[in-house]
Amino acid sequence: MDATELAAFLHSRRDRLKPADVGLAGGPRRRVPGLRREEVAFLANASIDYYIELERGRGVQPSAQMLLALARALRLTGDERDHLFHLAGHPTPPPREPSRGTDPSLLALLDRLDGTPARIMTDLLQPLAQNRLAAKLLGEIDPIGEPAYASSMVYRWFTDPSVRSHYPAEDHARHAQSFVADMRAVAARRALAGGDAEAEKLVADLLDRSEAFARLWAERDVAVRRFHRKRFVHPATGVIELDCHHLFTEDGTQRLLWLAPVEGTSAAAQLAKLVR
């Protein structure tokens, strides 16, 4: 934590705001160009003494929740909010409401991946876009409906037996554990932003509907899915073994999954057969 720089940054952001910018009455006599310290404290639901100590750089260590409250009170942009978290020594939180629009940088990469299956998903594993080979291997993407989390691969894995039939039965336990460990990491990251209704409802629904999910959730394993090897069962080619790579956006809210043939297997020839 850089208490001195944090104090200076808070002061600079306070100075640039006018009372009218945050819905406060200005009053005829003001000796500061921007907001008063007590006004920022009021807007952030903090004590005046606590905020004064922050601006004096006295080593007060604000929580993530307090940083979010200060970011809202000072009308910080996304980049300014992330900078505030960096100065306070906290990991930056994801956006409160993850975007439903496909990330342009991931979409540009997807357009260039012709020879390998690739799919863009949200952090909750809701499919957003994919290339032609992914559609052949994984099936077409269903439109996201309501509730939106029902399109999540994690949700479908534990509620729709037909989804699991696309993978060898002996691999099911490993995949289930991996899905749940990844979901716990996502839910915790979203909660850091002050709570997230979609992730909370997905988990609550699965806890209610799936004993297998509830048992694995109780184990509290955490592991972000970055690389894994997976076998797919396809009616036209049989079992295909592929390496699964994940590329994340900077804020972690979307990921590009691309599937590469495992060397020494017939996977490349099997994928080629799918597009003939």
Side-chain angles (χ1 to χ4, degrees):
M1 172 176 171
D2 188 338
T4 301
E5 186 57 33
L6 176 64
F9 184 65
L10 288 171
H11 192 170
S12 71
R13 301 304 89 183
R14 175 169 64 86
D15 280 351
R16 71 176 183 171
L17 288 174
K18 297 180 176 63
D21 295 334
V22 295
L24 297 176
R29 298 180 179 178
R30 298 188 66 86
R31 292 179 294 179
V32 294
L35 297 181
R36 299 187 179 103
R37 287 173 174 173
E38 56 266 29
E39 290 171 332
V40 176
F42 168 76
L43 291 169
N45 197 28
S47 73
I48 296 174
D49 289 342
Y50 178 86
Y51 184 75
I52 289 174
E53 291 299 296
L54 274 178
E55 276 209 13
R56 287 178 176 172
R58 295 291 177 83
V60 177
Q61 295 186 331
S63 66
Q65 289 73 22
M66 176 53 65
L67 293 172
L68 285 169
L70 290 170
R72 288 190 293 268
L74 294 168
R75 302 298 193 268
L76 300 187
T77 66
D79 289 340
E80 289 172 333
R81 182 204 63 175
D82 290 351
H83 184 61
L84 181 69
F85 271 71
H86 290 150
L87 293 175
H90 283 273
T92 56
R96 183 62 180 271
E97 296 294 337
S99 172
R100 290 289 177 220
T102 306
D103 182 85
S105 60
L106 294 188
L107 199 56
L109 285 174
L110 181 67
D111 289 340
R112 289 163 174 77
L113 292 173
D114 296 327
T116 188
R119 170 181 280 185
I120 299 173
M121 302 177 289
T122 70
D123 54 350
L124 295 180
L125 302 189
Q126 299 153 294
L128 297 175
Q130 64 183 6
N131 62 13
R132 185 167 64 101
L133 195 49
K136 293 286 187 180
L137 177 66
L138 306 174
E140 297 292 341
I141 294 175
D142 294 327
I144 293 180
E146 292 294 338
Y149 63 74
S151 66
S152 163
M153 184 61 184
V154 181
Y155 186 83
R156 296 182 65 208
W157 178 270
F158 288 98
T159 60
D160 185 353
S162 67
V163 171
R164 299 191 293 274
S165 69
H166 296 292
Y167 306 87
E170 58 269 29
D171 296 347
H172 288 185
R174 176 170 60 88
H175 293 328
Q177 190 276 336
S178 178
F179 278 134
V180 176
D182 184 85
M183 181 53 55
R184 184 171 281 282
V186 170
R189 187 172 65 248
R190 286 191 175 206
L192 185 61
D196 178 82
E198 186 176 31
E200 291 171 1
K201 289 178 181 177
L202 186 156
V203 172
D205 198 349
L206 284 177
L207 288 173
D208 183 60
R209 296 190 57 179
S210 172
E211 292 183 4
F213 179 87
R215 183 179 65 256
L216 289 168
W217 189 257
E219 294 178 2
R220 290 179 167 77
D221 290 338
V222 180
V224 177
R225 290 162 66 91
R226 296 185 177 89
F227 171 83
H228 54 284
R229 184 163 291 178
K230 184 178 290 187
R231 296 189 299 165
F232 298 85
V233 179
H234 194 278
T237 63
V239 177
I240 308 176
E241 190 171 9
L242 301 169
D243 285 332
C244 306
H245 304 266
H246 296 254
L247 176 67
F248 296 83
T249 54
E250 186 176 0
D251 60 10
T253 60
Q254 292 185 20
R255 65 179 76 182
L256 173 66
L257 165 69
W258 78 95
L259 309 171
V262 175
E263 291 188 14
T265 72
S266 60
Q270 289 172 292
L271 287 178
K273 182 179 179 181
L274 292 180
V275 294
R276 289 175 185 169

